[in-house]
Amino acid sequence: MPGKVLLSICCFFTAISGYAQSDRATLLKEYNRLDSICSVAMDEKPAQAVEYSKSMLEIARQLQIDSLILNANISLGQGLDFVGLFDAALKVDYETLALAERTNDCHYKIYAASLIGRIYQILGNKDKSQEFVTKGKQFAIDCKRFDDTIHLNYDFGFNIAQMGDPQKGIRIIEENLKAARKLGNPDYILFGLDNLSNLLAESGNLHKALEYELQVLEIPEVMEEDLNKAQVYEHLAEIYVLLKDWDNAQKYQREALKYAELIHLNDWIYECYKLQSSIDEARGDFKSALQNHRKYLALKDSVYQLE
């Protein structure tokens, strides 16, 4: 009799364990499905990517798998960044970095430090940005992932320029752009060209800035993504405004606004309204210039109020 009871108990727990394994397999399958559609949404509809990332994070925590938590957190932080919720993105990225350091995950240590440095750069906190860019570079060197130092060096050089040494910053980015071209990584080439263009425009070398930004249009892999289109067209519009080439400024402003609205990038949308106000004013349409300036201020305020 005791043997039969023991056998029954063993069968019961085997059945329970089987159900648990089945549930885990189902959850993992759903996680992978969400991860796949989140990757597509990140470039086209980042607000949706945020929601997918939250669902992924919930599943990852149920499964208690650190690598899945890290991946979901990275996606969530990036999505929040793309929709302009920088404080929320920073909070998530700090959590990601802490977990990555506890688990000694090279990939996510580098990625999280890079994202934190980039957000601080956007917010104008150059010292904090440089702190995390430098940390990311050290992670990359320690992990022998030297290719990752290229995009980190772009941010490092950009910060150097913003801190008062533009020529040194430009040299650092130029050197790393050469490495990116040699590597053949289209995203790294995009980031290098775009950073160089921005710094050259700020230093008054507008024609050279335009030359670099126009080169991005010749990289088909990166210009397939709506996010990159919004960014590059907006930067081109800015340069043409500075050059007082109002026809081209208008052409690229419209394209930038179209793609920024398509993927709900509020921080890019309000920059487009600001550009349109400058174009209207230059053409003597002061009523439209005022209306677009008000749109710019209202949307910018709404983005920061969400923070």
Side-chain angles (χ1 to χ4, degrees):
M1 184 70 177
K4 289 183 179 179
V5 172
L6 181 60
L7 180 62
S8 297
I9 291 171
C10 287
C11 289
F12 172 76
F13 280 113
T14 300
I16 291 295
S17 175
Y19 281 125
Q21 289 299 323
S22 175
D23 288 345
R24 285 180 68 82
T26 301
L27 286 171
L28 188 57
K29 184 177 180 181
E30 176 61 8
Y31 182 97
N32 289 331
R33 184 189 73 85
L34 289 167
D35 191 24
S36 178
I37 59 177
C38 181
S39 298
V40 175
M42 193 65 73
D43 294 323
E44 298 176 357
K45 296 178 181 178
Q48 283 188 9
V50 169
E51 298 308 313
Y52 294 141
S53 301
K54 289 177 180 177
S55 298
M56 289 164 58
L57 188 56
E58 184 178 340
I59 292 171
R61 284 173 174 162
Q62 287 182 57
L63 292 169
Q64 296 182 325
I65 300 175
D66 288 335
S67 60
L68 298 187
I69 293 171
L70 287 165
N71 180 60
N73 251 10
I74 281 289
S75 295
L76 179 56
Q78 197 168 33
L80 290 167
D81 178 356
F82 285 172
V83 297
L85 298 176
F86 301 122
D87 287 345
L90 272 177
K91 182 176 182 296
V92 171
D93 292 338
Y94 269 113
E95 291 172 0
T96 307
L97 181 57
L99 178 57
E101 288 188 293
R102 283 200 304 273
T103 57
N104 197 29
D105 189 302
C106 279
H107 173 72
Y108 290 109
K109 282 195 297 185
I110 298 165
Y111 208 157
S114 173
L115 290 176
I116 293 170
R118 183 68 58 86
I119 292 173
Y120 277 126
Q121 189 181 87
I122 293 169
L123 295 174
N125 191 332
K126 294 179 283 292
D127 291 332
K128 290 295 286 185
S129 176
Q130 203 70 323
E131 175 188 338
F132 282 93
V133 168
T134 302
K135 182 176 284 194
K137 281 179 61 180
Q138 192 58 55
F139 288 149
I141 292 167
D142 292 344
C143 295
K144 296 181 169 35
R145 294 184 51 158
F146 301 112
D147 290 351
D148 284 323
T149 62
I150 294 174
H151 70 88
L152 287 158
N153 277 331
Y154 288 151
D155 287 331
F156 187 84
F158 194 90
N159 288 335
I160 290 288
Q162 295 294 301
M163 289 171 163
D165 195 343
Q167 294 310 311
K168 182 178 179 181
I170 288 169
R171 282 198 305 274
I172 290 171
I173 295 173
E174 284 176 336
E175 288 167 5
N176 283 273
L177 177 58
K178 289 177 185 176
R181 290 189 193 277
K182 187 174 181 179
L183 190 65
N185 185 309
D187 287 323
Y188 287 1
I189 295 170
L190 160 65
F191 299 147
L193 290 170
D194 195 52
N195 273 295
L196 271 179
S197 178
N198 285 338
L199 289 180
L200 288 164
E202 287 182 9
S203 65
N205 194 343
L206 299 178
H207 291 286
K208 192 68 176 176
L210 179 61
E211 179 186 324
Y212 277 119
E213 199 69 42
L214 286 172
Q215 286 181 41
V216 179
L217 301 182
E218 300 170 9
I219 309 174
E221 300 96 324
V222 299
M223 292 308 293
E224 289 174 356
E225 297 179 10
D226 291 342
L227 178 66
N228 290 338
K229 288 176 184 175
Q231 173 181 310
V232 172
Y233 292 148
E234 195 275 340
H235 287 166
L236 281 169
E238 281 188 31
I239 296 169
Y240 280 120
V241 163
L242 292 170
L243 287 168
K244 298 183 173 24
D245 183 341
W246 307 116
D247 289 341
N248 274 313
Q250 185 67 83
K251 170 186 170 182
Y252 286 108
Q253 185 277 342
R254 285 175 179 157
E255 289 296 299
L257 182 59
K258 178 175 76 175
Y259 288 106
E261 288 181 333
L262 184 65
I263 54 180
H264 309 291
L265 290 173
N266 286 336
D267 51 328
W268 290 100
I269 293 171
Y270 69 64
E271 289 295 340
C272 287
Y273 285 138
K274 183 180 178 182
L275 284 169
Q276 187 61 60
S277 179
S278 297
I279 295 167
D280 290 338
E281 183 178 356
R283 289 176 162 175
D285 191 344
F286 300 110
K287 181 179 178 180
S288 181
L290 180 59
Q291 289 173 344
N292 280 297
H293 188 69
R294 285 173 175 167
K295 287 181 182 178
Y296 155 69
L297 291 176
L299 186 54
K300 185 176 180 181
D301 287 346
S302 72
V303 168
Y304 283 96
Q305 282 168 10
L306 283 172
E307 285 290 285

